[in-house]
């Protein structure tokens, strides 16, 4: 048995041991993973890819040929996918090994980890707390060390929130940088695949492997790209960090505020220049984004809503109906507002390299104390702002809440297509901490 196969067997054994309680996986692809592992072990060293032997899992709205993609629903994906999603193929090309498909909120609409069909996903640090969503299983699988990396998706926070609440690193790229072909959509204006891992450098490696223009994806954006890892070792010295005030500091729970403040102070001690900034209009970003996102989601599910609405989770259906009832002129006004907001935020990035704030403004909620609609909006108050802007953003663990001991996420954002700057800041912060910034 070769070294990759041995590694895969260890992770499969850990999944068998722990996932009965965590519910991070909808499907474990053990036989497929073993075949891939044996292929990797047989590959000559000179031909090995950049992710050789890396164990990964995929959110179950990302296609794997011959495997159902349920998108978290009992009534979707009855026929196995005919071919791999582009990101699945790129992982294969780079030598990764896919161990399975991860649990998720139904149709990727929800921030808590709830799934009535496959079971609620449980937080890797505390099973009584929410796992985040909608990429709940992807965040949990990484944080529980069932895989070394995972792919989620992020529309308004669906990758960054599970990373934050479980103590992992999750990066939302600039929309159009990573292919969405073969990924079941929520809202094409905002959807993007999100790498999640236990440390910044692994996230950077995965993103670099996925960073290819895909002419078969209508959301893909062509053009020259700076390699995402170009500045990974540059450190924090001279980095201009904007510390967000205004709306992006309002209502932050004191324990979260304290941990995030400590993180920004550490960055400054290691050479960054910290400057207070305010992003004008941030307080309206979530509402305007929903006026675009919900109608697009309703369009995706229009036939299902007409023919079989009872097959859709009640909370998801409620939001889809809001979208179906949103007048077109409201959506068009929201799109115009977005362009103005992007210009205002870009002005901030003319003065700083990254902007930091908490990923979520509160301690990780208990699962039995969550109101789904209210909690989703509150948890995503800040992540929606940066999705509406459109540049890359990510969550990095920055410590534990002083009362609960749960992970706290530091959210970093950069200008569009500046993943290299974003990853420089995140890797520099990780190095300042003295290594992998887990929240154990």
């Amino acid at each position: 048995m070769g070294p990759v196969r041995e590694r895969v067997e260890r992770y499969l054994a850990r999944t068998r041991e722990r996932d009965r309680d965590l519910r991070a996986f909808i499907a474990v692809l053990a036989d497929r993973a073993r075949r891939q592992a044996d292929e990797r072990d047989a590959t000559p060293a000179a031909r090995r890819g950049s992710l050789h032997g890396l164990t990964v899992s995929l959110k179950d709205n990302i296609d794997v040929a011959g495997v159902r993609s349920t998108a978290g629903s009992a009534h979707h994906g009855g026929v196995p996918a005919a071919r791999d999603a582009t990101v699945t193929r790129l992982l294969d090309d780079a030598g990764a090994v896919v161990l399975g498909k991860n649990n998720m909120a139904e149709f990727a609409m929800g921030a808590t980890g709830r799934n009535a069909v496959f079971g609620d996903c449980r937080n890797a640090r505390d099973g009584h707390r929410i796992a985040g969503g909608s990429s709940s299983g992807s965040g949990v699988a990484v944080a529980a060390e069932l895989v070394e990396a995972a792919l989620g998706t992020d529309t308004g926070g669906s990758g960054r929130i599970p990373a934050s609440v479980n103590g992992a690193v999750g990066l939302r790229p600039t929309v159009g940088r990573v292919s969405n072909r073969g990924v079941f959509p929520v809202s094409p204006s905002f959807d993007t695949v999100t790498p999640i891992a236990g440390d910044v450098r692994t996230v950077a490696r995965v993103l670099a492997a996925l960073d290819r223009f895909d002419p078969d994806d209508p959301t893909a954006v062509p053009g020259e790209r700076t390699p995402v890892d170009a500045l990974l070792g540059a450190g924090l010295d001279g980095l201009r960090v904007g510390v967000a005030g205004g709306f992006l500091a309002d209502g932050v729970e004191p324990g979260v505020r304290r941990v995030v403040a400590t993180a920004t102070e550490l960055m400054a001690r290691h050479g960054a220049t910290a400057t207070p900034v305010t992003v004008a209009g941030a307080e309206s970003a979530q509402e305007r984004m929903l006026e675009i996102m919900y109608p697009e989601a309703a369009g995706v599910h229009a036939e299902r809503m007409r023919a079989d609405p009872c097959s859709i989770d009640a909370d998801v259906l409620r939001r889809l109906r809001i979208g179906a009832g949103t007048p077109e002129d409201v959506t068009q006004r929201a799109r115009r507002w977005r362009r103005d907001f992007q210009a205002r935020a870009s002005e901030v990035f003319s003065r700083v390299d990254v902007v930091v704030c908490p990923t979520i403004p509160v301690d990780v909620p208990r699962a039995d104390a969550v109101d789904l609609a209210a909690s989703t909006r509150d948890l995503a108050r800040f992540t929606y702002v940066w999705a509406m802007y459109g540049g890359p953003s990510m969550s990095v663990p920055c410590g534990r809440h002083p009362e609960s001991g749960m992970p706290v996420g530091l959210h970093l954002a950069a200008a569009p297509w500046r993943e290299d700057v974003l990853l420089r800041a995140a890797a520099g912060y990780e190095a300042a901490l003295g290594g992998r910034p887990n929240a154990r």
Side-chain angles (χ1 to χ4, degrees):
M1 186 183 295
V4 177
R5 177 67 180 271
E6 289 180 355
R7 180 188 303 142
V8 165
E9 294 294 350
R10 288 197 302 272
Y11 280 100
L12 288 173
R14 186 170 175 84
T15 298
R16 287 193 300 272
E17 175 189 338
R18 296 205 61 194
D19 200 49
R20 186 188 299 266
D21 293 327
L22 294 172
R23 302 178 188 138
F25 283 88
I26 286 176
V28 176
L29 307 178
D31 291 342
R32 184 183 187 279
R34 291 179 176 118
R35 288 195 300 273
Q36 280 192 319
D38 291 341
E39 291 170 3
R40 306 299 183 247
D41 281 323
T43 302
R47 293 173 48 201
R48 291 174 181 173
S50 61
L51 302 180
H52 178 77
L54 188 77
T55 55
V56 301
S57 56
L58 310 178
K59 188 175 182 177
D60 203 27
N61 60 345
I62 300 173
D63 284 349
V64 173
V67 179
R68 293 177 62 217
S69 290
T70 70
S73 168
H75 306 280
H76 183 76
V79 178
R83 59 175 179 158
D84 286 340
T86 297
V87 292
T88 308
R89 175 181 58 78
L90 290 171
L91 288 175
D92 188 32
D93 291 347
V97 179
V98 174
L99 268 59
K101 306 292 292 294
N102 290 130
N103 201 355
M104 57 182 286
E106 184 173 290
F107 297 129
M109 296 184 70
T112 64
R114 175 181 174 272
N115 188 294
V117 177
F118 297 102
D120 295 353
C121 197
R122 293 181 176 170
N123 189 291
R125 311 296 179 180
D126 181 347
H128 298 292
R129 307 239 175 198
I130 67 164
S134 62
S135 307
S136 48
S138 300
V140 170
V142 167
E145 298 181 356
L146 309 184
V147 291
E148 294 165 284
L151 297 187
T153 61
D154 191 309
T155 304
S158 287
R160 291 162 291 163
I161 291 171
S164 176
V165 302
N166 287 284
V169 178
L171 189 153
R172 171 193 168 86
T174 305
V175 172
R177 184 154 204 159
V178 175
S179 176
N180 286 323
R181 191 201 61 75
V183 182
F184 192 78
V186 177
S187 172
S189 292
F190 301 104
D191 294 345
T192 183
V193 171
T194 304
I196 300 172
D199 61 87
V200 174
R201 289 181 177 270
T202 302
V203 163
R205 288 173 60 207
V206 173
L207 181 59
L210 304 181
D211 186 19
R212 307 286 187 277
F213 171 66
D214 183 359
D216 295 327
D217 174 18
T219 69
V221 178
E224 188 174 344
R225 303 159 186 240
T226 301
V228 299
D229 54 358
L231 301 174
L232 203 57
L236 296 174
D237 193 35
L239 189 77
R240 300 173 301 168
V241 176
V243 180
F247 172 78
L248 291 167
D250 287 347
V252 177
E253 192 266 341
V256 173
R257 187 187 302 276
R258 191 182 319 161
V259 173
V260 170
T262 299
T264 57
E265 290 163 4
L266 179 65
M267 295 177 80
R269 289 201 302 274
H270 281 77
T273 301
T275 304
V277 297
T278 301
V279 181
E283 68 280 359
S284 301
Q286 185 179 56
E287 201 62 39
R288 299 292 79 77
M289 183 170 162
L290 293 176
E291 291 169 351
I292 302 169
M293 188 184 96
Y294 280 175
E296 289 190 353
V300 170
H301 295 278
E303 178 57 26
R304 190 188 305 271
M305 292 170 68
R306 185 194 65 78
D308 193 12
C310 294
S311 69
I312 304 173
D313 177 88
D315 184 61
V316 173
L317 181 62
R318 176 187 63 79
R319 284 178 278 170
L320 292 174
R321 284 176 167 161
I322 291 172
T326 301
E328 176 62 21
D329 66 309
V330 171
T331 298
Q332 291 307 317
R333 278 201 306 272
R335 292 189 188 280
R336 290 192 297 272
W337 185 92
R338 184 188 189 196
R339 290 191 289 271
D340 291 340
F341 175 68
Q342 289 172 318
R344 293 193 295 270
S346 291
E347 193 279 327
V348 173
F349 286 108
S350 71
R351 295 181 281 115
V352 298
D353 298 308
V354 294
V355 174
V356 299
C357 68
T359 306
I360 66 172
V362 295
D363 191 13
V364 183
R366 291 184 60 87
D368 59 5
V370 165
D371 173 270
L372 288 176
S375 180
T376 293
R377 287 202 172 213
D378 192 42
L379 290 172
R381 279 199 298 131
F382 298 162
T383 58
Y384 266 77
V385 171
W386 299 109
M388 192 62 158
Y389 172 55
S393 57
M394 65 190 298
S395 182
V396 177
C398 63
R400 291 192 275 184
H401 192 281
E403 295 176 9
S404 69
M406 292 301 293
V408 175
L410 176 69
H411 190 279
L412 303 97
W417 302 96
R418 295 315 308 264
E419 280 82 353
D420 58 329
V421 173
L422 181 71
L423 284 164
R424 173 197 172 185
Y429 173 68
E430 182 174 284
L433 281 176
R436 175 171 167 162
N438 64 46
R440 289 187 181 281

